[in-house]
Amino acid sequence: MQTTSGPSPARLARIGEELQARYLGPGLLPGGQLRIAHRGEVVLDQCFGMMDVARGKPWASDAIVRIFSMTKPVVSVALMMLWERGLFQLDQPVGEVLPTWRDQRVWVSGEGTSMVTEPAARPVTFRHLLTHTGGVTYGARLASVGGARTADPVGLAYAAAQVDVLGETEGLGAFAAKVGELPLRYQPGSRWMYSYSTDIVGALIEELSGRPLDRFLDEEIFAPLGMTDTGFSVRQDAAARLAACYMVTPQDPLSLADDPLESARLTPPRFLSGGGGLVSTMADYHRFAEVLRRGGELDGVRLLSPRTVRLMTRNHLPEGRDLTDLALISDPRLIPGGMGFGLGFGLTTDAVRAGLAADGDFYWSGAANTIWWVDPAAELSVIFLTQVLPTSAYRLQDWLKSLVYAAI
């Protein structure tokens, strides 16, 4: 394995200084926490600013945050734990487990009652869901086709069918069944589109394991690893540690989006969102990151074999192509060049195209600008937590990577 020289204390200190000068001082971020571990040793662990601006609460080292899409790697690992037990194959049709995912149709043109569809050329598979290449979308959001921005017609169909409401009232299984009845946005395996796919992965975990998703994660991942503050809601005795969540608006970069005293995250949800429903802490997510950096094991607890982790962190896009070649989205803040996608993670496949000093790291981020990545070659894991929506506001991940790699 390639190794690196040790971290520079002066350059590590500079990261905190730059965060303060660029983001916290001007009031673009309320506060946050950064942890960098090199070869398993924490070399920087620093809290900044406030976790609740209005109440003057400094950011605490045990602050609980909404990790949103950083839920996806956790749930993807959970599904691959079932793969190791022989309960499915990657190219197995999802319809063999979820009946409404059989004989699906694919959008061709139009929307609503005038929508034209065609039969799916191939079934959606487990691999498609893990890589967001199955034709599922993320609701009534903007997509890009040939550079033209347009409302996603399948997302509009989701909205008309009220799939979100169905999930919140009837649960994950009903949500997944309804999504399966609706058209796919593109032929499975032909494109990439960020989507509800990992929520469907959660439903597959429930079906295959015979346990609710929250129970499976608790019993198989969180309890064994000692991730005591990670779950789909905040425990009552930990409610005071939930950070406020903010939204960048034209009028205010720190507009309150979710008051921690009134947050829905204080109550267990009906819809267990495998795509974005978890809350966690720095200590907890650091243990999850270290499990993957170490090839699936930490402190005697093994979640996956090293071979499975290596499989998950290889580029599974068709023909090993770049994500920018396949993605139905054109915003470079979200889809940089030199990026592939594995089984639940983004990957840097070409450092030159990505404009980064890393090659071979795997990562994902959350909607509130939470950031996480692991670089096995550099023996590095990095987590940054804050609570500001949306993730595209500042492009923090690329900026932070530049500073971190300059310090190692």
Side-chain angles (χ1 to χ4, degrees), residues 25-49:
L28 302 180
L29 296 178
Q33 185 176 3
L34 173 64
R35 179 176 292 189
I36 302 171
H38 184 239
R39 299 174 183 167
E41 178 185 354
V42 175
V43 296
L44 179 68
D45 194 359
Q46 190 170 357
C47 296
F48 311 86

Side-chain angles (χ1 to χ4, degrees), residues 65-116:
V65 301
R66 306 150 193 80
I67 62 172
F68 290 109
S69 285
M70 280 170 55
T71 303
K72 289 179 172 69
V74 177
V75 173
S76 298
V77 164
L79 184 65
M80 291 303 290
M81 292 170 70
L82 297 177
W83 177 78
E84 287 194 334
R85 299 171 194 179
L87 296 185
F88 70 94
Q89 297 300 309
L90 286 177
D91 293 320
Q92 180 178 340
V94 170
E96 293 183 5
V97 178
L98 302 177
T100 63
W101 286 70
R102 300 170 186 164
D103 303 318
Q104 289 174 300
R105 298 189 67 83
V106 178
W107 175 86
V108 174
S109 64
E111 62 184 59
T113 57
S114 63
M115 182 181 291
V116 177

Side-chain angles (χ1 to χ4, degrees), residues 256-321:
L256 185 63
D258 189 23
D259 188 324
L261 298 188
E262 301 175 357
S263 176
R265 301 303 180 107
L266 300 174
T267 304
R270 183 73 178 90
F271 179 47
L272 303 174
S273 173
L278 291 177
V279 297
S280 192
T281 62
M282 178 62 77
D284 280 8
Y285 212 86
H286 172 72
R287 291 187 65 77
F288 175 72
E290 280 294 297
V291 163
L292 295 175
R293 186 191 68 80
R294 291 165 52 97
E297 179 273 339
L298 179 67
D299 294 339
V301 175
R302 178 164 294 283
L303 300 185
L304 295 170
S305 77
R307 289 179 179 271
T308 300
V309 175
R310 288 196 294 271
L311 175 66
M312 294 181 72
T313 54
R314 296 178 65 181
N315 187 10
H316 285 253
L317 296 180
E319 301 173 354
R321 295 169 68 185

